[in-house]
């Protein structure tokens, strides 16, 4: 009996041990399979990441090239159709006499030709410079006035003389000769003193009125051409300008200052020529400031010779013209 009990207990222990071994084997197999699955999952992740950097440069490079040419980004639909847009440049350089198929490209060529023709038009048809020049003499009349008039006669030249009241009274015969020979006479005031002349709008108009009356009594001409001492800028205020306009005067300045008052030699002629070359393309009358001085008269033939050789015609200012003004 004792032996049979021992054998029964031994078989039970063996069965329990075998069952435990099987359970351990199952757990081991489970963990082995689980670790293998995790390794496979981790191994698959790098394959997904490597696709992004490989494809990215291929997508950005064409966009950069397009930006260099068109200077604008393209939509995703445009990126997906590179092969459809590539043949387009090949059709433009090949100019074929096809009647219908090449019509879409011909308007572009014609438009470019029209634009080029418009751009070249100013070069082909430049505005011709004015062939008239207006010599104006200030501060007269003077003892050399008749000599100036005689010289102008030799060149069949007309000029304009802006004169001072006191000088008119000292050289009345010169003023009469100016009018008789077809020159224009204008007003330059009485005092030629900026502190007195520009004291008020009444002083400006008053000096011009006095000079106008003197010329009217002497020649029978009531001129409305005036030039203020030292020019209109900066002394003629808006109120002064309105006053002389209301009085019926037309105020003239100049666009070429000979600076004969400064040089007092032949350099003033060179100064005029230099300024004249810059004004050849200007759409305005050429008005040259001179003075009735012996030094101006001495070199005036040189200036007249140059202007005549250039084809200019010497004319006098008149009331119908729009004045040149410094402001």
């Amino acid at each position: 009996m004792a032996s049979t009990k021992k054998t029964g207990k031994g078989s039970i222990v063996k069965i329990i041990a075998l069952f435990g071994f099987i359970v351990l084997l199952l757990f081991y197999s489970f963990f082995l399979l689980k670790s293998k699955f995790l390794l496979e999952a981790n191994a698959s992740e790098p394959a997904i990441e490597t696709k992004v950097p490989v494809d990215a440069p291929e997508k950005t490079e064409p966009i950069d090239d397009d930006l260099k040419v068109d200077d604008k980004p393209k939509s995703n639909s445009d990126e997906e159709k590179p092969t459809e847009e590539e043949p387009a440049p090949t059709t433009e350089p090949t100019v074929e006499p096809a009647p219908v198929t090449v019509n879409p490209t011909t308007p572009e060529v014609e438009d470019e030709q029209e634009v080029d023709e418009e751009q070249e038009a100013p070069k082909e048809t430049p505005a011709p410079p004015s062939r008239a020049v207006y010599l104006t003499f200030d501060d007269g009349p003077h003892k050399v006035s008749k000599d100036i008039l005689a010289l102008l006669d030799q060149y069949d030249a007309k000029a304009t003389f802006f004169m001072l009241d006191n000088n008119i009274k000292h050289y009345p015969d010169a003023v009469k000769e100016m009018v008789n020979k077809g020159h224009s006479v204008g007003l330059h005031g009485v005092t030629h003193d900026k502190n007195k002349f520009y004291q008020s709008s009444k002083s400006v108009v008053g000096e011009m009125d006095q000079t106008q009356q003197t010329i009217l009594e002497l020649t029978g001409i009531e001129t409305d051409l005036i030039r203020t001492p030292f020019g209109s800028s900066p002394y003629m205020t808006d109120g002064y300008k309105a006053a002389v306009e209301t009085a019926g005067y037309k105020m003239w300045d100049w666009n070429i200052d000979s600076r004969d008052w400064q040089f007092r030699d032949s350099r003033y002629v060179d100064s005029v020529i230099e300024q004249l070359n810059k004004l050849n393309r200007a759409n305005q009358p050429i008005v040259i400031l001179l003075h009735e001085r012996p030094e101006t008269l001495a070199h005036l033939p040189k200036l007249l010779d140059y202007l005549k050789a250039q084809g200019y015609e010497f004319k006098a200012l008149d009331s119908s013209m729009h004045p040149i003004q410094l402001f």
Side-chain angles (χ1 to χ4, degrees):
M1 291 290 292
S3 61
T4 57
K5 289 181 179 179
K6 290 180 180 180
T7 57
K9 291 180 179 179
S11 60
I12 291 172
V13 171
K14 290 179 180 179
I15 292 171
I16 292 172
L18 179 62
F19 179 76
F21 176 77
I22 292 172
V23 171
L24 290 174
L25 183 62
L26 290 173
F27 274 107
Y28 177 77
S29 300
F30 173 75
F31 283 112
L32 183 65
L33 290 173
K34 183 178 180 181
S35 61
K36 184 178 180 181
F37 174 78
L38 291 175
L39 289 174
E40 290 178 355
N42 293 333
S44 63
E45 290 179 359
I48 297 174
E49 294 176 356
T50 54
K51 291 181 181 180
V52 175
V54 171
D55 294 339
E58 295 179 359
K59 292 181 179 179
T60 55
E61 286 179 1
I63 294 176
D64 292 340
D65 292 339
D66 291 338
L67 287 172
K68 292 177 181 178
V69 176
D70 299 334
D71 199 25
K72 62 180 179 180
K74 291 188 176 182
S75 62
N76 294 333
S77 61
D78 294 333
E79 295 175 4
E80 295 173 358
K81 301 177 183 179
T83 55
E84 296 178 0
E85 296 178 356
E86 288 178 358
T90 59
T91 58
E92 293 180 358
T94 56
V95 181
E96 297 179 355
V100 178
T101 57
V102 297
N103 283 339
T105 60
T106 51
E108 297 179 359
V109 178
E110 291 177 356
D111 290 341
E112 292 177 357
Q113 291 176 351
E114 290 178 359
V115 172
D116 292 338
E117 290 176 358
E118 291 177 357
Q119 294 176 350
E120 293 177 357
K123 296 180 180 179
E124 295 175 358
T125 57
S130 173
R131 292 291 96 186
V133 64
Y134 298 87
L135 304 177
T136 62
F137 295 86
D138 284 11
D139 299 349
H142 193 274
K143 61 182 179 180
V144 298
S145 295
K146 290 190 175 183
D147 294 329
I148 292 176
L149 293 173
L151 180 62
L152 293 176
D153 285 344
Q154 296 177 20
Y155 290 84
D156 193 22
K158 303 303 178 186
T160 304
F161 296 86
F162 291 100
M163 297 176 288
L164 297 169
D165 183 70
N166 290 336
N167 291 351
I168 295 171
K169 295 175 180 177
H170 276 84
Y171 302 99
D173 292 339
V175 179
K176 294 178 181 179
E177 187 173 346
M178 292 173 188
V179 174
N180 293 334
K181 291 187 175 181
H183 301 285
S184 292
V185 290
L187 316 175
H188 200 41
V190 179
T191 62
H192 207 278
D193 184 338
K194 62 178 180 291
N195 295 323
K196 295 180 179 179
F197 183 88
Y198 295 106
Q199 187 174 7
S200 67
S201 60
K202 291 183 179 179
S203 62
V204 171
V205 175
E207 288 202 17
M208 294 303 180
D209 286 345
Q210 179 177 330
T211 310
Q212 184 189 57
Q213 183 63 29
T214 300
I215 293 179
L216 176 61
E217 294 175 356
L218 183 62
T219 65
I221 293 178
E222 187 177 17
T223 179
D224 59 358
L225 305 177
I226 69 171
R227 174 173 288 165
T228 59
F230 310 104
S232 63
S233 178
Y235 304 107
M236 287 294 289
T237 64
D238 291 339
Y240 292 179
K241 296 170 189 174
V244 296
E245 184 176 355
T246 301
Y249 293 119
K250 292 190 175 182
M251 183 173 59
W252 280 87
D253 287 314
W254 56 86
N255 48 26
I256 294 181
D257 183 357
S258 68
R259 297 172 68 186
D260 58 346
W261 53 270
Q262 177 184 6
F263 293 125
R264 301 195 177 191
D265 55 32
S266 63
R267 287 179 296 172
Y268 87 79
V269 178
D270 299 329
S271 177
V272 169
I273 294 173
E274 181 181 356
Q275 296 176 65
L276 180 62
N277 291 333
K278 295 179 181 179
L279 280 177
N280 272 343
R281 296 181 181 179
N283 186 20
Q284 56 182 340
I286 300 172
V287 181
I288 303 176
L289 171 63
L290 298 161
H291 295 82
E292 292 193 59
R293 293 175 176 271
E295 301 88 353
T296 301
L297 172 61
H299 305 283
L300 189 57
K302 179 182 176 181
L303 177 60
L304 296 175
D305 286 336
Y306 175 82
L307 295 174
K308 187 174 182 179
Q310 296 299 315
Y312 286 100
E313 183 180 0
F314 306 98
K315 292 187 176 182
L317 301 176
D318 62 68
S319 300
S320 66
M321 300 175 62
H322 182 72
I324 292 291
Q325 296 174 346
L326 295 176
F327 57 87

